[in-house]
Amino acid sequence: MKQKTGRKLLSFLLTLAMVVGLMPGMGLTAYASQIDVKYLDASGLTQTISATSVTNSDTTWSTGWYVVNSILTNENRITVNGTVNLILCDGAKLTANAGIAVENDNTLNIYEGWTGERDTTPTVGELSATGGSGGAGIGGGYEGSGGSVTIYGGTVTAKGGSYGAGIGGGNHANGGDVTIYGGTVNATGGVQGAGIGGGNGYYNGSKTNGDGGTVTIHGGTVTATGGGYGAGIGGGAYGNGGTVTNNGGTVNATGGVQGAGIGGGLYGNGGTVTINGGDVTAIGWPTSNTYYG
């Protein structure tokens, strides 16, 4: 009887350890689920890949493939390490209330998921990201320059936190490399940050970074609005415009107070702007804007 009782007790303890280990913050880490998912690649062709399902408690995405396949809200700032490919499935949405950190040499590629039944499921996947204190919605944190962000599809909405760009640099930081091939992109700068480009470049009476980096648009529908003194696309306050190239798509860029629609922010130089095609509307310093964007 003692031997049977001992075995039952051991089995119970092992089961308890497994349950506790799978609880967040309690020892062992639960393995995220892998699923096969279809997406549209850079050429618009359907591909299938095994991807890790995003959860509402993620804090880091490391090199690999990830998929948003449900409706989620995450209060953590998610850090991208390496090259991360993110698929937004039809009808799914990730709301990242502290934003997504993509800094320096790190890369985030965003793809549209594909069910093959768009007529019956017309809602494309969505990502909504709002920067935390001093951070971009998608890009650098406080004093963190933006890394590489490429959007191939889906609906992406990004709003800078205090002094950060919607997509690009954080406070006192440059914009990085942003490329858009398709989808719907809505980017709004925080106070003195660009919609897409540099964060606030003003510090203690002088210029401290805030340049726009490189922004290339090949297609899609892009709406970029500068906050405070930032450009719609380009530099934050005191930031230069960087390099902006538009090859296609529909672009509406509106600057904040004394910020260009496309180009430099307040006291920033215009940079290089090349328009090879597409439908582009750029409005600088509209009187309807206020200091806070």
Side-chain angles (χ1 to χ4, degrees), residues 125-178:
E126 297 181 54
L127 168 63
S128 177
T130 302
S133 178
I138 302 174
Y142 182 81
E143 295 187 345
S145 294
S148 176
V149 177
T150 301
I151 300 170
Y152 294 99
T155 297
V156 178
T157 301
K159 183 179 175 68
S162 55
Y163 303 101
I167 303 176
N171 190 20
H172 306 151
N174 299 323
D177 190 351
V178 179

Side-chain angles (χ1 to χ4, degrees), residues 136 146 164-170 173-176 178 193-199 210-213 215 231-236 241:
I167 303 176
N174 299 323
V178 179
I196 301 176
D211 297 336
V215 179
I233 301 176

Side-chain angles (χ1 to χ4, degrees), residues 169-211:
N171 190 20
H172 306 151
N174 299 323
D177 190 351
V178 179
T179 306
I180 300 170
Y181 284 93
T184 300
V185 179
N186 300 293
T188 304
V191 177
Q192 302 189 35
I196 301 176
N200 168 51
Y202 174 85
Y203 178 72
N204 200 25
S206 62
K207 170 179 165 55
T208 305
N209 298 316
D211 297 336

Side-chain angles (χ1 to χ4, degrees), residues 3-275:
Q3 185 176 10
K4 290 184 179 180
T5 302
R7 287 178 179 176
K8 288 182 179 180
L9 178 60
L10 178 61
S11 176
F12 171 76
L13 290 175
L14 287 172
T15 301
L16 179 62
M18 290 177 66
V19 171
V20 172
L22 291 174
M23 293 174 64
M26 298 291 289
L28 299 175
T29 301
Y31 288 101
S33 62
Q34 292 278 328
I35 65 170
D36 288 338
V37 59
K38 293 182 178 180
Y39 71 99
L40 298 178
D41 67 12
S43 300
L45 301 176
T46 304
Q47 304 292 344
T48 302
I49 194 75
S50 178
T52 301
S53 295
V54 170
T55 74
N56 61 5
S57 60
D58 288 354
T59 58
T60 303
W61 295 334
S62 297
T63 295
W65 287 84
Y66 295 79
V67 57
V68 179
N69 59 347
S70 60
I71 297 176
L72 301 168
T73 298
N74 193 327
E75 302 297 337
N76 304 311
R77 186 161 177 84
I78 304 168
T79 299
V80 168
N81 287 329
T83 298
V84 168
N85 303 291
L86 180 67
I87 300 170
L88 305 176
C89 284
D90 284 356
K93 181 177 182 179
L94 170 62
T95 301
N97 282 331
I100 299 175
V102 187
E103 296 187 359
N104 302 320
D105 296 328
N106 297 296
T107 298
L108 175 64
N109 301 316
I110 300 173
Y111 296 90
E112 178 183 344
W114 179 245
T115 63
E117 301 176 353
R118 181 52 47 80
D119 290 340
T120 57
T121 53
T123 304
V124 299
E126 297 181 54
L127 168 63
S128 177
T130 302
S133 178
I138 302 174
Y142 182 81
E143 295 187 345
S145 294
S148 176
V149 177
T150 301
I151 300 170
Y152 294 99
T155 297
V156 178
T157 301
K159 183 179 175 68
S162 55
Y163 303 101
I167 303 176
N171 190 20
H172 306 151
N174 299 323
D177 190 351
V178 179
T179 306
I180 300 170
Y181 284 93
T184 300
V185 179
N186 300 293
T188 304
V191 177
Q192 302 189 35
I196 301 176
N200 168 51
Y202 174 85
Y203 178 72
N204 200 25
S206 62
K207 170 179 165 55
T208 305
N209 298 316
D211 297 336
T214 301
V215 179
T216 307
I217 300 171
H218 298 283
T221 300
V222 180
T223 302
T225 306
Y229 296 125
I233 301 176
Y238 279 58
N240 300 323
T243 301
V244 179
T245 304
N246 197 87
N247 296 318
T250 300
V251 178
N252 292 284
T254 304
V257 176
Q258 299 186 27
I262 301 177
L266 171 68
Y267 296 131
N269 297 319
T272 301
V273 179
T274 303
I275 299 176

